[in-house]
Protein backbone atom coordinates (compact mmCIF):
# COMPACT_ATOMS: atom_id res chain seq x y z
CA UNK A 1 0.00 0.00 0.00
CA UNK A 2 1.41 3.38 -0.97
CA UNK A 3 1.46 6.43 1.26
CA UNK A 4 -1.25 7.96 -0.89
CA UNK A 5 -3.60 5.10 0.07
CA UNK A 6 -3.32 5.92 3.78
CA UNK A 7 -6.15 8.02 5.17
CA UNK A 8 -6.82 9.17 8.69
CA UNK A 9 -10.33 8.49 9.90
CA UNK A 10 -12.39 11.57 10.66
CA UNK A 11 -13.16 12.30 14.31
CA UNK A 12 -16.83 11.65 13.59
CA UNK A 13 -16.08 8.00 12.84
CA UNK A 14 -14.84 7.57 16.41
CA UNK A 15 -17.46 9.73 18.07
CA UNK A 16 -20.76 8.99 16.44
CA UNK A 17 -23.51 11.24 17.71
CA UNK A 18 -26.81 9.86 18.90
CA UNK A 19 -29.92 9.89 16.78
CA UNK A 20 -31.50 13.15 17.92
CA UNK A 21 -35.04 14.45 17.52
CA UNK A 22 -35.61 18.17 17.98
CA UNK A 23 -38.82 19.05 16.12
CA UNK A 24 -41.68 19.19 18.66
CA UNK A 25 -44.09 17.10 16.58
CA UNK A 26 -41.47 14.40 16.07
CA UNK A 27 -40.56 14.40 19.75
CA UNK A 28 -44.22 14.11 20.78
CA UNK A 29 -44.80 11.24 18.35
CA UNK A 30 -41.74 9.38 19.60
CA UNK A 31 -42.78 9.82 23.24
CA UNK A 32 -46.17 8.30 22.45
CA UNK A 33 -44.42 5.47 20.69
CA UNK A 34 -42.31 4.81 23.77
CA UNK A 35 -45.44 4.76 25.93
CA UNK A 36 -48.94 6.28 25.57
CA UNK A 37 -48.61 7.94 29.00
CA UNK A 38 -45.62 10.06 28.01
CA UNK A 39 -45.95 13.62 26.71
CA UNK A 40 -43.85 16.81 26.62
CA UNK A 41 -46.33 18.41 29.03
CA UNK A 42 -45.90 15.71 31.67
CA UNK A 43 -42.11 15.93 31.55
CA UNK A 44 -42.13 19.73 31.62
CA UNK A 45 -44.28 19.66 34.78
CA UNK A 46 -41.61 17.61 36.51
CA UNK A 47 -38.86 19.98 35.37
CA UNK A 48 -40.86 23.03 36.46
CA UNK A 49 -41.45 21.57 39.92
CA UNK A 50 -37.73 21.02 40.33
CA UNK A 51 -36.92 24.50 39.12
CA UNK A 52 -39.34 26.09 41.55
CA UNK A 53 -37.74 24.09 44.38
CA UNK A 54 -34.34 25.41 43.33
CA UNK A 55 -35.68 28.93 43.71
CA UNK A 56 -36.71 28.27 47.30
CA UNK A 57 -33.07 28.34 48.43
CA UNK A 58 -31.66 31.43 50.07
CA UNK A 59 -28.23 32.90 50.79
CA UNK A 60 -28.34 30.98 54.06
CA UNK A 61 -28.83 27.61 52.32
CA UNK A 62 -26.04 25.08 51.99
CA UNK A 63 -23.94 25.41 48.80
CA UNK A 64 -25.44 22.21 47.33
CA UNK A 65 -29.02 22.93 48.40
CA UNK A 66 -30.18 24.41 45.09
CA UNK A 67 -29.07 21.43 43.02
CA UNK A 68 -30.26 18.95 45.62
CA UNK A 69 -33.71 20.47 45.96
CA UNK A 70 -34.07 20.65 42.19
CA UNK A 71 -33.24 16.97 41.70
CA UNK A 72 -35.38 15.72 44.59
CA UNK A 73 -38.48 17.64 43.49
CA UNK A 74 -38.03 16.82 39.81
CA UNK A 75 -37.91 13.13 40.66
CA UNK A 76 -40.76 13.39 43.15
CA UNK A 77 -43.05 15.18 40.70
CA UNK A 78 -42.24 12.82 37.83
CA UNK A 79 -42.97 9.73 39.88
CA UNK A 80 -46.16 11.22 41.33
CA UNK A 81 -47.45 12.16 37.89
CA UNK A 82 -46.69 8.69 36.57
CA UNK A 83 -48.08 7.04 39.69
CA UNK A 84 -51.43 8.56 38.75
CA UNK A 85 -51.12 6.58 35.51
CA UNK A 86 -50.38 3.33 37.38
CA UNK A 87 -46.60 3.45 36.92
CA UNK A 88 -44.63 1.95 39.80
CA UNK A 89 -41.92 3.75 41.78
CA UNK A 90 -38.98 1.40 42.29
CA UNK A 91 -35.67 1.90 44.09
CA UNK A 92 -32.70 -0.30 43.32
CA UNK A 93 -29.72 0.26 45.61
CA UNK A 94 -30.62 3.93 46.12
CA UNK A 95 -31.27 4.45 42.39
CA UNK A 96 -34.92 5.55 41.95
CA UNK A 97 -36.94 4.57 38.87
CA UNK A 98 -40.47 4.95 37.57
CA UNK A 99 -41.55 1.77 35.75
CA UNK A 100 -44.44 1.53 33.28
CA UNK A 101 -47.22 -0.97 34.13
CA UNK A 102 -46.22 -3.18 31.17
CA UNK A 103 -42.54 -2.88 32.17
CA UNK A 104 -41.60 -1.82 28.64
CA UNK A 105 -39.86 1.33 29.82
CA UNK A 106 -38.41 2.78 33.01
CA UNK A 107 -37.30 6.36 33.65
CA UNK A 108 -34.59 7.79 35.90
CA UNK A 109 -33.83 11.46 36.60
CA UNK A 110 -30.28 12.71 36.15
CA UNK A 111 -28.30 15.94 35.90
CA UNK A 112 -26.28 16.41 32.73
CA UNK A 113 -23.42 18.60 31.59
CA UNK A 114 -23.68 21.77 29.49
CA UNK A 115 -24.41 19.82 26.28
CA UNK A 116 -27.72 18.64 27.71
CA UNK A 117 -30.88 19.76 25.95
CA UNK A 118 -29.27 21.07 22.79
CA UNK A 119 -28.02 19.68 19.51
CA UNK A 120 -24.38 20.41 18.87
CA UNK A 121 -20.98 18.91 18.14
CA UNK A 122 -21.02 16.82 21.30
CA UNK A 123 -23.57 14.63 23.02
CA UNK A 124 -24.03 15.22 26.75
CA UNK A 125 -22.73 13.17 29.62
CA UNK A 126 -24.05 12.88 33.14
CA UNK A 127 -22.77 15.52 35.54
CA UNK A 128 -22.38 13.20 38.52
CA UNK A 129 -20.60 9.87 38.79
CA UNK A 130 -22.79 6.77 38.50
CA UNK A 131 -22.35 3.34 40.02
CA UNK A 132 -22.94 -0.31 39.23
CA UNK A 133 -26.70 0.02 38.83
CA UNK A 134 -26.34 2.59 36.07
CA UNK A 135 -23.57 0.61 34.42
CA UNK A 136 -25.86 -2.42 34.44
CA UNK A 137 -28.84 -0.84 32.75
CA UNK A 138 -26.65 1.00 30.25
CA UNK A 139 -25.17 -2.35 29.23
CA UNK A 140 -28.65 -3.84 28.95
CA UNK A 141 -29.84 -0.92 26.80
CA UNK A 142 -26.86 -1.36 24.52
CA UNK A 143 -27.60 -5.05 24.07
CA UNK A 144 -31.24 -4.30 23.28
CA UNK A 145 -30.19 -1.73 20.75
CA UNK A 146 -27.74 -4.09 19.04
CA UNK A 147 -29.85 -7.22 18.89
CA UNK A 148 -33.49 -6.14 18.94
CA UNK A 149 -33.59 -3.48 16.23
CA UNK A 150 -35.36 -5.79 13.79
CA UNK A 151 -37.80 -7.31 16.26
CA UNK A 152 -40.13 -6.33 19.03
CA UNK A 153 -38.34 -4.89 22.03
CA UNK A 154 -37.81 -7.41 24.83
CA UNK A 155 -37.18 -6.44 28.43
CA UNK A 156 -37.28 -3.00 30.04
CA UNK A 157 -35.49 -0.08 28.45
CA UNK A 158 -34.22 2.51 30.92
CA UNK A 159 -34.46 6.11 29.70
CA UNK A 160 -33.09 9.17 31.48
CA UNK A 161 -34.84 12.48 32.01
CA UNK A 162 -31.63 14.45 31.76
CA UNK A 163 -31.52 18.14 32.67
CA UNK A 164 -28.92 20.88 33.08
CA UNK A 165 -29.30 24.16 34.92
CA UNK A 166 -27.37 26.85 33.05
CA UNK A 167 -26.34 29.50 35.59
CA UNK A 168 -25.18 31.90 32.87
CA UNK A 169 -28.32 31.77 30.75
CA UNK A 170 -30.52 31.20 33.82
CA UNK A 171 -32.46 28.38 32.23
CA UNK A 172 -32.89 24.65 32.54
CA UNK A 173 -32.47 22.51 29.41
CA UNK A 174 -33.76 18.97 29.33
CA UNK A 175 -34.24 15.86 27.22
CA UNK A 176 -35.41 12.26 27.47
CA UNK A 177 -32.62 10.03 26.23
CA UNK A 178 -31.57 6.39 26.03
CA UNK A 179 -28.18 5.78 27.73
CA UNK A 180 -26.02 3.23 25.90
CA UNK A 181 -22.40 4.01 26.85
CA UNK A 182 -20.70 4.13 30.23
CA UNK A 183 -17.14 5.33 30.82
CA UNK A 184 -15.19 6.50 33.87
CA UNK A 185 -18.28 6.36 36.12
CA UNK A 186 -20.37 8.54 33.80
CA UNK A 187 -22.95 7.90 31.11
CA UNK A 188 -21.24 9.22 28.00
CA UNK A 189 -23.25 7.89 25.05
CA UNK A 190 -26.87 7.72 23.98
CA UNK A 191 -28.72 5.54 21.53
CA UNK A 192 -31.39 8.19 21.06
CA UNK A 193 -32.07 11.71 22.31
CA UNK A 194 -35.42 13.51 22.43
CA UNK A 195 -34.70 17.22 22.94
CA UNK A 196 -37.47 18.84 24.95
CA UNK A 197 -36.15 22.40 24.96
CA UNK A 198 -35.46 24.87 27.75
CA UNK A 199 -37.36 26.72 30.45
CA UNK A 200 -36.15 30.19 31.51
CA UNK A 201 -35.81 30.68 35.22
CA UNK A 202 -37.98 33.48 36.44
CA UNK A 203 -38.32 33.01 40.19
CA UNK A 204 -41.10 35.59 40.47
CA UNK A 205 -43.12 33.63 37.93
CA UNK A 206 -43.35 30.47 40.04
CA UNK A 207 -46.26 30.04 42.40
CA UNK A 208 -46.29 26.92 44.50
CA UNK A 209 -49.46 27.74 46.35
CA UNK A 210 -51.63 30.67 47.22
CA UNK A 211 -52.10 31.15 50.91
CA UNK A 212 -55.53 32.62 51.31
CA UNK A 213 -55.61 34.74 54.48
CA UNK A 214 -58.04 33.56 57.07
CA UNK A 215 -61.08 35.71 57.55
CA UNK A 216 -61.06 37.62 60.84
CA UNK A 217 -62.62 35.57 63.57
CA UNK A 218 -66.03 36.80 64.63
CA UNK A 219 -67.45 36.15 68.04
CA UNK A 220 -71.12 36.63 68.61
CA UNK A 221 -71.60 38.35 71.93
CA UNK A 222 -74.87 37.89 73.70
CA UNK A 223 -75.64 40.72 76.13
CA UNK A 224 -76.06 39.53 79.67
CA UNK A 225 -79.42 40.06 81.22
CA UNK A 226 -79.46 41.51 84.70
CA UNK A 227 -80.88 39.63 87.67
Amino acid sequence: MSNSDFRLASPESFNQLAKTLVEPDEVRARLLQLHPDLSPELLSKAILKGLSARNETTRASAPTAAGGKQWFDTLDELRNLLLEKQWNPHDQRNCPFAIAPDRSISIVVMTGNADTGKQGLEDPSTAADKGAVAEGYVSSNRQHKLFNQAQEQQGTQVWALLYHYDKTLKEVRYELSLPTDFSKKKITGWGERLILGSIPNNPTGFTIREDVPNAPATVEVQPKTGT
Side-chain angles (χ1 to χ4, degrees):
M1 182 178 70
S2 66
N3 291 336
S4 61
D5 293 327
F6 181 77
R7 295 288 186 275
L8 287 173
S10 65
E12 289 76 14
S13 64
F14 295 103
N15 186 25
Q16 185 177 1
L17 296 180
K19 176 184 177 182
T20 304
L21 297 182
V22 178
E23 293 298 324
D25 290 343
E26 293 181 354
V27 170
R28 181 181 296 276
R30 180 59 177 138
L31 286 173
L32 288 174
Q33 190 178 40
L34 290 176
H35 199 280
D37 291 337
L38 297 178
S39 67
E41 290 79 14
L42 183 144
L43 298 175
S44 71
K45 284 181 181 178
I47 295 296
L48 276 168
K49 183 65 182 295
L51 189 55
S52 65
R54 183 185 188 93
N55 292 332
E56 291 175 357
T57 57
T58 68
R59 291 177 60 189
S61 300
T64 59
K69 282 177 174 286
Q70 185 174 5
W71 184 83
F72 281 121
D73 277 47
T74 301
L75 172 67
D76 188 67
E77 181 73 357
L78 177 69
R79 296 215 290 187
N80 277 322
L81 290 170
L82 291 173
L83 188 61
E84 295 173 1
K85 300 178 181 294
Q86 308 307 312
W87 288 49
N88 299 308
H90 171 70
D91 302 306
Q92 182 178 351
R93 292 165 60 182
N94 294 323
C95 185
F97 301 82
I99 304 177
D102 61 3
R103 303 188 70 83
S104 61
I105 183 173
S106 179
I107 299 177
V108 294
V109 175
M110 295 179 174
T111 56
N113 68 3
D115 293 309
T116 301
K118 60 183 181 181
Q119 190 175 24
L121 298 177
E122 298 286 340
D123 282 340
S125 68
T126 51
D129 289 353
K130 303 300 174 186
V133 173
E135 188 174 11
Y137 64 67
V138 168
S139 177
S140 178
N141 282 347
R142 184 168 58 250
Q143 294 301 314
H144 289 159
K145 184 173 182 291
L146 289 173
F147 298 113
N148 294 328
Q149 288 178 339
Q151 55 185 309
E152 185 177 350
Q153 177 68 47
Q154 301 295 321
T156 304
Q157 277 193 335
V158 178
W159 287 67
L161 178 58
L162 191 71
Y163 70 87
H164 173 76
Y165 184 75
D166 192 316
K167 294 180 180 179
T168 301
L169 298 178
K170 294 184 179 179
E171 66 177 16
V172 58
R173 295 188 298 275
Y174 62 112
E175 59 186 75
L176 187 71
S177 297
L178 179 69
T180 54
D181 285 295
F182 191 90
S183 177
K184 297 180 180 178
K185 296 186 178 181
K186 285 184 168 57
I187 296 173
T188 56
W190 313 86
E192 192 173 348
R193 299 175 61 206
L194 310 180
I195 305 295
L196 290 154
S198 63
I199 298 175
N201 188 16
N202 178 16
T204 60
F206 291 98
T207 303
I208 304 301
R209 66 171 183 265
E210 291 185 4
D211 293 322
V212 180
N214 295 326
T218 57
V219 178
E220 185 175 352
V221 178
Q222 297 289 343
K224 290 185 178 180
T225 56
T227 54

